[in-house]
């Protein structure tokens, strides 16, 4: 039986689709493992056990543990963008969008999107003293988030919604409060959400 070019394309497409689905399954489990136990526990063997996929198959998809960990960070980043950043864009730039970002972050942390809460908070302390691609990728997550907060604060200042303020300091304060809130939520302190909102309100009013 001859295999036509159309048949070959169809077979190739099916294989690509199967590979994409396997990658999605592996990474969706990987981000939860990383949020609970840290990126060090994201391994071919652990994913094979948790997903029922073959260890060899997962290794074929990602080649090395480091590449798997980096792919896990990228996947977590995209999930964070979809859950927190994109929905907040519906709000007007400035103070309104900043509040929307905080509200969507609260939903992200309380739902939670990842089994262990905020992915970045769960991992960055484990790698802050370990130079290399993993730490660099986690630091980019942190800087991207802080840049997003800073952009909206700067817009609020420029549009005269709020008075001049030290934007870098304000960003640091907001991010620090959210990181602390994530830890409090993991320990069962739901009252911390009201404290987050009061802190942000107080910062904007003080400004």
């Amino acid at each position: 039986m001859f295999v036509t070019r159309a048949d070959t394309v169809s077979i190739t497409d099916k294989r690509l689709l199967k590979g994409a689905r396997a990658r999605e399954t592996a990474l969706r489990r990987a981000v939860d493992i990383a949020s609970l136990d840290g990126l060090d526990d994201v391994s071919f063997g652990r994913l094979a056990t948790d997903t029922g996929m073959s260890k060899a198959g997962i290794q074929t998809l990602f080649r090395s543990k480091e590449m798997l960990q980096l792919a896990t960070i990228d996947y977590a980043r995209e999930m964070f963008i979809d859950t927190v950043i994109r929905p907040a864009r519906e709000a007007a730039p400035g103070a309104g969008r900043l509040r929307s970002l905080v509200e969507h972050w609260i939903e992200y942390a309380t739902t939670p999107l990842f089994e262990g809460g905020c992915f970045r908070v769960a991992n960055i302390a484990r790698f802050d003293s370990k130079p290399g691609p993993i730490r660099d990728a986690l630091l980019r997550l942190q800087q991207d988030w802080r840049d997003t907060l800073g952009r909206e604060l700067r817009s609020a200042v420029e549009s005269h919604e709020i008075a001049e303020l030290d934007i870098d300091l304000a960003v640091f304060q907001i991010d620090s409060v959210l990181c602390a809130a994530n830890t409090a939520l993991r320990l069962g302190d739901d009252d911390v959400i009201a404290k987050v909102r009061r802190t942000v309100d107080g910062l904007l009013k003080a400004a």
Side-chain angles (χ1 to χ4, degrees), residues 133-149:
I134 304 299
R135 185 179 75 165
D136 291 347
L138 290 170
L139 286 176
R140 280 195 296 272
L141 287 185
Q142 176 169 284
Q143 193 57 52
D144 286 350
W145 172 237
R146 289 183 175 180
D147 286 347
T148 300
L149 296 175

Side-chain angles (χ1 to χ4, degrees), residues 30-161:
V31 293
D32 280 336
I33 293 171
S35 70
L36 284 165
D37 303 320
L39 279 161
D40 282 333
D41 271 31
V42 176
S43 65
F44 301 133
R46 174 77 181 271
L47 285 178
T49 298
D50 288 5
T51 65
M53 299 166 63
S54 72
K55 182 177 177 180
I58 297 172
Q59 190 163 5
T60 298
L61 290 171
F62 300 102
R63 299 192 202 174
S64 70
K65 181 173 180 176
E66 182 175 272
M67 290 183 70
L68 170 60
Q69 291 171 322
L70 290 171
T72 300
I73 295 171
D74 285 342
Y75 192 79
R77 176 181 180 274
E78 289 303 317
M79 291 180 70
F80 182 82
I81 289 172
D82 287 343
T83 304
V84 179
I85 307 297
R86 286 199 177 97
R89 290 174 183 165
E90 296 179 7
R97 188 173 292 174
L98 177 67
R99 293 180 189 279
S100 183
L101 284 165
V102 171
E103 287 301 318
H104 282 98
W105 185 94
I106 288 170
E107 183 178 355
Y108 152 82
T110 55
T111 303
L113 181 63
F114 305 113
E115 287 185 17
C118 180
F119 181 93
R120 173 172 61 96
V121 175
N123 285 282
I124 200 162
R126 301 169 188 259
F127 288 88
D128 57 5
S129 299
K130 300 178 182 178
I134 304 299
R135 185 179 75 165
D136 291 347
L138 290 170
L139 286 176
R140 280 195 296 272
L141 287 185
Q142 176 169 284
Q143 193 57 52
D144 286 350
W145 172 237
R146 289 183 175 180
D147 286 347
T148 300
L149 296 175
R151 186 162 51 248
E152 301 312 326
L153 279 170
R154 194 168 293 107
S155 177
V157 170
E158 291 173 352
S159 62
H160 305 294
E161 289 184 272

Side-chain angles (χ1 to χ4, degrees), residues 196-207:
V196 168
R197 293 187 176 118
R198 288 203 304 271
T199 298
V200 173
D201 288 343
L203 179 63
L204 295 178
K205 287 176 182 176

